[in-house]
Amino acid sequence: MLFNSIEYLIFLPIVFILYWLLNNNYKNQNILLLISSYIFYGWWDYRFLSLIVFSSFLDYFVGMKIEEAISENRKKRWLLVSLCSNLGLLGVFKYYNFFADSFASSMSVLGWEVNDLTLNIILPVGISFYTFQTLSYSIDIYRGQIKASRDIIGFFTFVSLFPQLVAGPIERASNLIPQIENKRKLDTNLIKTGIFQIFIGLLRKVAIADNLGVYVDSVYANYDIHNGSTLLVATIFYAFQIYFDFSGYSDIAIGSAKLFGFNFNRNFNFPYFSKTLTEFWRRWHMSLSFWLRDYLYISLGGNRKGIIITYRNLLLTMLIGGLWHGSSWNFVIWGGIHGLFLSFEKFTFSALKIKTFNAFGYIYTFIIVLIAWIFFRAADFSSASKIILEIFSFNYDSLFIGDINSFVNALLLLSIGVLIDLKVFKSNVPLENYGTRYSTLKLSVIVSVVIIMLCLFYSSTENFIYFQF
Amino acid sequence: MNSEITKKFLKIIVLILLISYGLDKLVFYSLNKISDKVMTGQAIGKLNHFLSIKDSAEVLVFGNSRANRHIDVKLFNNNSYNMGIDGIGIAYNSTLINTLSKTKKQLVLVHIDTKNLFDADYDGSDIRGLKAKYNRNLTITKALDESGQLSVLQKFYYSISYNGNAIGILKNYFKPSYDYIAYDGYDPITVSNDQKSMRDAFLSNYRDQVECKENHKINEIALGYLKSIAIFVKKNPNKRFIFITSPIFNDDCSVDNKILADKMLDLGLNYKDFSNLYKNNSDNSLWKDATHMSQKGAESFSKLLLEKYAHLLF
């Protein structure tokens, strides 16, 4: 079920009403949330529910075993069970074909022809997100940072809670499980901020991102016939499309969760207002970047083992972070570009003894992010390279506009999106709390204006970009 | 959730519904007022222009971009209009044909694209291009309701009718794209010198491509709309209808053409397939690309149409 569908418009109020009717018993609310979450997920493909159930059961059981283990060795062994099973599932469903194909290609380069090893595998929606969520649970118990859950319904709800099930934010057990295992309250602030964020999210996704996507798709589908200026504008549009698409999704997720009394962590914090790439990664897809920092970068040694190892760890973390997004070398390159420039910044800051760049840093960061997005969006390495070469040939002829209506709509909505971001950014109040600034009447007027904008500008694209990951 | 919070929550929801409903009607009726005066632009202007002259024009052309670019309707009669629109299919055309006056004697030329009729994925969604006239034109409203293509929210939020078009309407209201009084709906394509070499390279590769799928089947939705036109044709003896498929660069597959011709015969429609008219002509200047003819090709084709069908003019 998609957040931007009529089904969700019906589903959300029904679950909301039933949920608060069960207000006197949070355990019954959890049962309702679990059933609702499975319906939400099964709407897409009920067969893959078995994977979520398996993953939930495994980590529930392993979590207790890690906690009960008397020796460090036993703890480690149980942790390995969780790591191997979760990553094994992810490997089979997400990466098997990629590695099989890469293996066959490399053998072919060496002169050995290998039969087609790829399988007809469907990628289960959200597997990368809930796998990382369950993994962090086991690792946190192993590190002694949290206690294992003894409430099986509560734990299953933690893994599958519908607002964050298919595309995050990747919630930590330390934040979410205590909320699930206690009575929730709904107050005026949660209602206001929740409703505000849901509608801002819809505006970002359905109006802004989807309208930008129309132009981006038409240019990238025929990149070879377009000139540098067109490819540059399409890439800038894509940078904002993916931002508004994913941050919009996160807004709807966080806003929906608030209506059930849950506080999710922030996932985006105006990433394009960053002076360094390091800062960008503190603002972009924060639940993933902090996950990679805490469970991968630090596990590899972080910056505690000398400068060379630090650079290696940074690069490795970003390469794996890239691969997490999808089974393609383009994502690896995307991660590699970020890793290289993060290392460059670390080196520069330490050599020049500075903490950040000056105002030019905004431009530097945006350019690096933009170049990396080309690999993220292009179909393969060859097309990404051609697009970069064309853009940097600086042979800027007249811009391809395509359908003038779509182009003007995209430009107008992009301006509105940027202006909203600027206003919220300048206020120093996180978007997550912004709804509290308004009276009930003012909030209703703002939401109504957003609804009319959605009516006038919604685009018919159905999926969220991050669903493919 | 205690009763105070419940009240607060309900208050917000009720306020949002009331304000958004009111705002929606304000926007909708304002856009109605503005859009009624817009006569230029493909989205609304051309439709408004058509609705204003449809019962007085002597010759009308319906179809997609190929009809729009290929048929110089002025050759037939000065009082004529080409209602070809980019990207639309038979659902849109069938609905507009059904809006025509029963009494007016007219020659109606309908461009049928085999690609549209045999497309298994065709769902009739092109009819949404008429949603700006929902609740404002009886025939169009009925067709849209029957199509199931409208969002259920449209019953509550009328401004969805202007989805994607609002800016275009405002732009054409304040700055019309052309002089609509002199416009007959025909938009020929000129090919610039820069485009010529690209076209030639593209067409030379295209020459070898043969696409002929087995088991050709006319899309049921498209067939339904075709039948609706056939019923209109039978009920309107005051009009003369010609159904044509205009030339295409390389149509090596004749199976679909044959099935379509048979179906048109079954339905009692006067159909002529010109797909392969220029098949043996190696002059690339007749073309803009593999689907659309250039102005030169269109003018030559329009003259041929006139020669063939001049006797049907009233």
Side-chain angles (χ1 to χ4, degrees):
Chain A
M1 200 181 294
L2 296 167
F3 283 163
N4 54 337
S5 65
I6 296 290
E7 287 92 338
Y8 190 69
L9 191 69
I10 298 164
F11 172 86
L12 185 66
I14 292 174
V15 181
F16 176 82
I17 292 166
L18 292 175
Y19 180 84
W20 289 111
L21 285 175
L22 299 170
N23 194 22
N24 49 6
N25 189 330
Y26 78 87
K27 291 205 170 190
N28 287 342
Q29 286 182 319
N30 287 349
I31 293 172
L32 175 74
L33 280 179
L34 184 62
I35 295 167
S36 312
S37 300
Y38 284 173
I39 292 171
F40 178 85
Y41 190 83
W43 210 265
W44 167 69
D45 194 331
Y46 65 90
R47 291 169 303 171
F48 291 108
L49 274 174
S50 54
L51 280 180
I52 297 182
V53 174
F54 172 76
S55 191
S56 307
F57 188 78
L58 179 93
D59 283 278
Y60 176 72
F61 180 73
V62 167
M64 288 191 293
K65 286 290 173 192
I66 293 173
E67 194 174 68
E68 288 161 6
I70 39 171
S71 68
E72 193 60 27
N73 247 350
R74 272 181 171 261
K75 274 189 179 190
K76 206 171 263 180
R77 252 183 264 162
W78 280 113
L79 178 65
L80 273 175
V81 171
S82 170
L83 289 175
C84 294
S85 312
N86 282 306
L87 294 176
L89 278 179
L90 194 60
V92 170
F93 282 96
K94 190 162 179 175
Y95 300 107
Y96 172 79
N97 280 346
F98 169 65
F99 285 117
D101 200 37
S102 300
F103 173 73
S105 304
S106 42
M107 286 298 108
S108 155
V109 170
L110 295 171
W112 294 315
E113 284 309 315
V114 180
N115 289 337
D116 184 14
L117 298 169
T118 56
L119 299 171
N120 190 15
I121 299 173
I122 302 170
L123 176 67
V125 165
I127 190 168
S128 313
F129 290 91
Y130 68 74
T131 301
F132 268 34
Q133 190 153 316
T134 51
L135 272 180
S136 71
Y137 169 75
S138 303
I139 298 170
D140 283 351
I141 296 173
Y142 174 78
R143 288 176 175 173
Q145 291 169 347
I146 57 166
K147 295 261 177 228
S149 170
R150 254 69 182 176
D151 172 2
I152 189 161
I153 298 292
F155 181 76
F156 274 50
T157 308
F158 157 69
V159 178
S160 61
L161 192 59
F162 72 84
Q164 48 91 65
L165 176 58
V166 287
I170 305 166
E171 280 301 317
R172 300 288 177 88
S174 55
N175 177 45
L176 196 50
I177 288 184
Q179 295 187 59
I180 290 173
E181 293 184 352
N182 283 293
K183 192 172 161 63
R184 272 84 60 178
K185 274 189 194 158
L186 189 64
D187 57 32
T188 313
N189 279 351
L190 277 178
I191 293 173
K192 280 184 173 179
T193 53
I195 289 175
F196 181 77
Q197 208 167 352
I198 288 174
F199 280 95
I200 289 292
L202 280 170
L203 180 73
R204 282 174 154 182
K205 159 64 189 164
V206 181
I208 305 174
D210 288 353
N211 273 289
L212 289 169
V214 173
Y215 183 75
V216 175
D217 290 349
S218 73
V219 173
Y220 267 75
N222 298 296
Y223 67 91
D224 45 348
I225 62 165
H226 290 296
N227 59 29
S229 43
T230 304
L231 291 167
L232 178 63
V233 169
T235 306
I236 293 172
F237 273 22
Y238 181 67
F240 285 101
Q241 182 202 352
I242 194 167
Y243 163 61
F244 285 120
D245 187 285
F246 194 25
S247 67
Y249 178 89
S250 301
D251 289 332
I252 304 169
I254 295 167
S256 299
K258 280 180 176 171
L259 297 183
F260 296 90
F262 292 105
N263 269 306
F264 283 0
N265 283 317
R266 206 172 180 188
N267 212 20
F268 285 85
N269 183 16
F270 311 106
Y272 293 135
F273 299 137
S274 301
K275 280 198 266 189
T276 64
L277 214 54
T278 315
E279 189 185 350
F280 175 83
W281 276 104
R282 283 191 210 115
R283 294 173 177 275
W284 177 272
H285 198 179
M286 293 149 78
S287 63
L288 175 70
S289 58
F290 295 162
W291 196 102
L292 291 172
R293 179 196 65 193
D294 295 346
Y295 299 105
L296 192 59
Y297 178 70
I298 289 175
S299 301
L300 288 168
N303 55 5
R304 290 164 288 145
K305 295 184 176 174
I307 196 78
I308 300 292
I309 300 290
T310 302
Y311 294 147
R312 183 209 66 177
N313 292 345
L314 258 180
L315 198 58
L316 210 55
T317 302
M318 293 315 294
L319 286 173
I320 292 171
L323 195 59
W324 175 88
H325 284 85
S327 49
S328 150
W329 287 110
N330 267 23
F331 292 120
V332 180
I333 295 167
W334 172 80
I337 293 171
H338 279 277
L340 276 175
F341 280 91
L342 285 170
S343 304
F344 158 76
E345 285 179 6
K346 216 168 195 41
F347 172 78
T348 311
F349 295 157
S350 124
L352 300 177
K353 296 196 181 353
I354 52 170
K355 282 189 176 166
T356 186
F357 294 133
N358 61 18
F360 286 108
Y362 292 116
I363 299 165
Y364 145 81
T365 307
F366 191 66
I367 290 173
I368 303 303
V369 171
L370 215 54
I371 292 169
W373 281 140
I374 294 171
F375 286 94
F376 207 89
R377 176 60 181 81
D380 49 41
F381 179 75
S382 153
S383 48
S385 322
K386 283 177 187 160
I387 290 167
I388 288 177
L389 282 176
E390 188 61 40
I391 289 175
F392 282 96
S393 69
F394 297 106
N395 183 17
Y396 294 155
D397 295 326
S398 56
L399 181 71
F400 164 79
I401 300 290
D403 176 22
I404 182 80
N405 247 354
S406 305
F407 190 80
V408 173
N409 282 350
L411 266 184
L412 172 85
L413 291 160
L414 174 60
S415 316
I416 291 172
V418 172
L419 285 174
I420 292 174
D421 271 20
L422 266 171
K423 183 169 168 52
V424 180
F425 182 69
K426 275 187 160 182
S427 72
N428 280 326
V429 178
L431 187 70
E432 284 70 13
N433 301 335
Y434 212 78
T436 53
R437 291 165 62 106
Y438 301 118
S439 66
T440 302
L441 183 64
K442 210 168 178 184
L443 179 79
S444 307
V445 171
I446 290 171
V447 169
S448 299
V449 170
V450 170
I451 289 172
I452 302 308
M453 286 187 70
L454 291 173
C455 289
L456 292 177
F457 296 109
Y458 79 88
S459 184
S460 52
T461 313
E462 285 181 344
N463 246 336
F464 288 87
I465 293 176
Y466 263 68
F467 271 30
Q468 61 188 299
F469 309 138
Chain B
M1 191 160 54
N2 61 40
S3 61
E4 200 185 316
I5 297 294
T6 310
K7 274 185 204 160
K8 190 93 184 168
F9 184 77
L10 285 174
K11 188 180 168 189
I12 294 176
I13 297 299
V14 170
L15 270 176
I16 290 173
L17 288 174
L18 285 175
I19 296 170
S20 62
Y21 186 80
L23 197 60
D24 170 72
K25 300 303 164 281
L26 187 72
V27 169
F28 177 70
Y29 290 113
S30 306
L31 282 172
N32 280 352
K33 282 261 176 213
I34 294 170
S35 77
D36 284 348
K37 290 176 184 153
V38 170
M39 290 289 178
T40 62
Q42 284 249 328
I44 300 290
K46 196 165 181 182
L47 179 60
N48 278 341
H49 192 183
F50 164 78
L51 292 172
S52 71
I53 53 94
K54 72 181 172 69
D55 296 332
S56 58
E58 303 287 329
V59 180
L60 289 168
V61 172
F62 293 93
N64 58 8
S65 63
R66 281 167 29 82
N68 176 223
R69 316 292 194 173
H70 291 177
I71 302 169
D72 184 359
V73 76
K74 273 275 189 306
L75 287 180
F76 287 80
N77 188 304
N78 277 334
N79 183 17
S80 55
Y81 197 72
N82 183 327
M83 191 45 200
I85 300 251
D86 288 357
I88 58 107
I90 196 158
Y92 186 99
N93 289 319
S94 165
T95 308
L96 285 191
I97 288 169
N98 275 284
T99 65
L100 297 179
S101 144
K102 287 189 167 67
T103 50
K104 172 74 181 167
K105 288 183 176 177
Q106 286 170 314
L107 173 64
V108 181
L109 230 150
V110 185
H111 186 281
I112 300 284
D113 234 316
T114 42
K115 202 176 165 190
N116 179 214
L117 249 73
F118 288 89
D119 179 1
D121 296 329
Y122 178 69
D123 59 359
S125 57
D126 52 301
I127 200 172
R128 288 186 202 147
L130 296 169
K131 63 184 187 295
K133 298 295 168 193
Y134 186 66
N135 280 332
R136 310 194 67 212
N137 177 300
L138 214 63
T139 312
I140 293 174
T141 304
K142 191 166 168 262
L144 279 165
D145 280 335
E146 285 170 0
S147 73
Q149 288 290 341
L150 290 184
S151 161
V152 289
L153 296 173
Q154 185 131 9
K155 302 272 180 198
F156 191 79
Y157 291 119
Y158 291 3
S159 56
I160 292 179
S161 296
Y162 288 104
N163 173 257
N165 295 329
I167 302 295
I169 288 170
L170 291 175
K171 187 254 156 204
N172 279 291
Y173 178 76
F174 290 110
K175 194 170 182 279
S177 310
Y178 45 82
D179 172 17
Y180 83 92
I181 293 169
Y183 181 63
D184 61 6
Y186 166 57
D187 296 309
I189 314 177
T190 49
V191 185
S192 69
N193 283 334
D194 288 347
Q195 290 168 332
K196 278 177 188 165
S197 53
M198 231 161 86
R199 173 206 54 201
D200 291 345
F202 181 73
L203 293 182
S204 65
N205 290 330
Y206 209 85
R207 192 64 86 177
D208 305 325
Q209 291 179 14
V210 179
E211 191 190 333
C212 198
K213 296 171 198 161
E214 286 174 12
N215 301 322
H216 278 287
K217 194 171 177 297
I218 298 181
N219 178 296
E220 284 299 321
I221 293 171
L223 186 59
Y225 283 110
L226 190 60
K227 283 178 179 168
S228 155
I229 299 176
I231 292 168
F232 184 86
V233 171
K234 278 187 190 130
K235 284 184 180 168
N236 288 276
N238 278 333
K239 297 188 197 310
R240 288 170 187 162
F241 279 84
I242 309 162
F243 294 81
I244 59 142
T245 302
S246 68
I248 197 152
F249 179 70
N250 189 29
D251 185 18
D252 275 352
C253 179
S254 59
V255 184
D256 49 0
N257 303 55
K258 176 81 177 61
I259 294 170
L260 177 60
D262 289 346
K263 180 52 77 180
M264 298 299 270
L265 202 63
D266 279 355
L267 294 170
L269 301 174
N270 178 11
Y271 173 68
K272 177 74 182 162
D273 181 10
F274 293 99
S275 298
N276 289 319
L277 183 68
Y278 297 130
K279 191 174 184 179
N280 299 319
N281 191 331
S282 57
D283 181 5
N284 280 351
S285 68
L286 294 169
W287 299 95
K288 159 68 172 69
D289 53 44
T291 316
H292 298 99
M293 288 189 281
S294 63
Q295 182 164 14
K296 183 181 170 186
E299 276 167 10
S300 160
F301 173 61
S302 299
K303 276 179 196 157
L304 181 109
L305 278 182
L306 181 65
E307 281 167 26
K308 202 166 169 53
Y309 296 115
H311 65 283
L312 292 176
L313 284 164
F314 286 99

Short mmCIF file of all heavy atoms in Angstrom, two decimals, chain B residues 40 166-177:
data_model
loop_
_atom_site.label_atom_id
_atom_site.label_comp_id
_atom_site.label_asym_id
_atom_site.label_seq_id
_atom_site.Cartn_x
_atom_site.Cartn_y
_atom_site.Cartn_z
N THR B 40 -6.35 29.42 -26.63
CA THR B 40 -5.09 28.92 -27.18
C THR B 40 -4.44 27.94 -26.23
O THR B 40 -4.72 27.94 -25.03
CB THR B 40 -4.11 30.09 -27.46
OG1 THR B 40 -3.80 30.72 -26.21
CG2 THR B 40 -4.69 31.11 -28.41
N ALA B 166 -3.49 24.31 -14.63
CA ALA B 166 -3.77 25.64 -14.07
C ALA B 166 -2.79 26.71 -14.57
O ALA B 166 -3.21 27.79 -15.00
CB ALA B 166 -3.76 25.59 -12.55
N ILE B 167 -1.51 26.39 -14.55
CA ILE B 167 -0.51 27.38 -14.96
C ILE B 167 -0.64 27.69 -16.46
O ILE B 167 -0.56 28.84 -16.88
CB ILE B 167 0.92 26.87 -14.64
CG1 ILE B 167 1.07 26.59 -13.15
CG2 ILE B 167 1.99 27.86 -15.10
CD1 ILE B 167 0.94 27.80 -12.26
N GLY B 168 -0.86 26.63 -17.24
CA GLY B 168 -1.03 26.80 -18.68
C GLY B 168 -2.22 27.69 -18.99
O GLY B 168 -2.16 28.54 -19.88
N ILE B 169 -3.30 27.51 -18.23
CA ILE B 169 -4.51 28.32 -18.44
C ILE B 169 -4.21 29.79 -18.14
O ILE B 169 -4.55 30.68 -18.92
CB ILE B 169 -5.66 27.79 -17.55
CG1 ILE B 169 -6.15 26.46 -18.09
CG2 ILE B 169 -6.81 28.80 -17.48
CD1 ILE B 169 -7.11 25.73 -17.18
N LEU B 170 -3.56 30.01 -17.00
CA LEU B 170 -3.23 31.39 -16.62
C LEU B 170 -2.32 32.04 -17.65
O LEU B 170 -2.51 33.18 -18.05
CB LEU B 170 -2.57 31.42 -15.24
CG LEU B 170 -3.49 31.08 -14.06
CD1 LEU B 170 -2.71 31.03 -12.76
CD2 LEU B 170 -4.63 32.10 -13.94
N LYS B 171 -1.34 31.25 -18.10
CA LYS B 171 -0.39 31.78 -19.09
C LYS B 171 -1.13 32.18 -20.38
O LYS B 171 -0.94 33.27 -20.91
CB LYS B 171 0.69 30.72 -19.39
CG LYS B 171 1.82 31.20 -20.27
CD LYS B 171 1.69 30.64 -21.66
CE LYS B 171 2.41 31.51 -22.67
NZ LYS B 171 1.89 31.37 -24.02
N ASN B 172 -2.00 31.27 -20.86
CA ASN B 172 -2.72 31.56 -22.11
C ASN B 172 -3.80 32.62 -21.93
O ASN B 172 -4.22 33.24 -22.90
CB ASN B 172 -3.34 30.27 -22.66
CG ASN B 172 -2.31 29.45 -23.42
OD1 ASN B 172 -1.86 29.84 -24.48
ND2 ASN B 172 -1.91 28.34 -22.84
N TYR B 173 -4.24 32.81 -20.70
CA TYR B 173 -5.22 33.86 -20.44
C TYR B 173 -4.55 35.23 -20.57
O TYR B 173 -5.07 36.14 -21.21
CB TYR B 173 -5.80 33.67 -19.04
CG TYR B 173 -6.79 34.74 -18.62
CD1 TYR B 173 -8.09 34.74 -19.14
CD2 TYR B 173 -6.43 35.75 -17.74
CE1 TYR B 173 -9.01 35.71 -18.77
CE2 TYR B 173 -7.34 36.73 -17.36
CZ TYR B 173 -8.62 36.71 -17.88
OH TYR B 173 -9.52 37.68 -17.51
N PHE B 174 -3.39 35.35 -19.94
CA PHE B 174 -2.70 36.65 -19.95
C PHE B 174 -1.91 36.86 -21.24
O PHE B 174 -1.73 37.98 -21.69
CB PHE B 174 -1.76 36.77 -18.74
CG PHE B 174 -2.53 36.93 -17.46
CD1 PHE B 174 -2.57 35.92 -16.51
CD2 PHE B 174 -3.24 38.09 -17.20
CE1 PHE B 174 -3.29 36.06 -15.33
CE2 PHE B 174 -3.96 38.25 -16.02
CZ PHE B 174 -3.99 37.23 -15.09
N LYS B 175 -1.41 35.77 -21.82
CA LYS B 175 -0.59 35.90 -23.03
C LYS B 175 -0.92 34.75 -23.99
O LYS B 175 -0.27 33.70 -23.95
CB LYS B 175 0.90 35.86 -22.64
CG LYS B 175 1.83 36.32 -23.73
CD LYS B 175 3.25 36.48 -23.17
CE LYS B 175 4.20 36.98 -24.21
NZ LYS B 175 4.71 35.96 -25.10
N PRO B 176 -1.95 34.93 -24.83
CA PRO B 176 -2.32 33.85 -25.75
C PRO B 176 -1.15 33.45 -26.65
O PRO B 176 -0.37 34.30 -27.06
CB PRO B 176 -3.47 34.46 -26.57
CG PRO B 176 -3.97 35.59 -25.74
CD PRO B 176 -2.79 36.12 -24.98
N SER B 177 -1.07 32.15 -26.93
CA SER B 177 0.08 31.66 -27.71
C SER B 177 0.01 32.07 -29.17
O SER B 177 1.02 32.13 -29.85
CB SER B 177 0.14 30.13 -27.64
OG SER B 177 0.07 29.70 -26.34
#
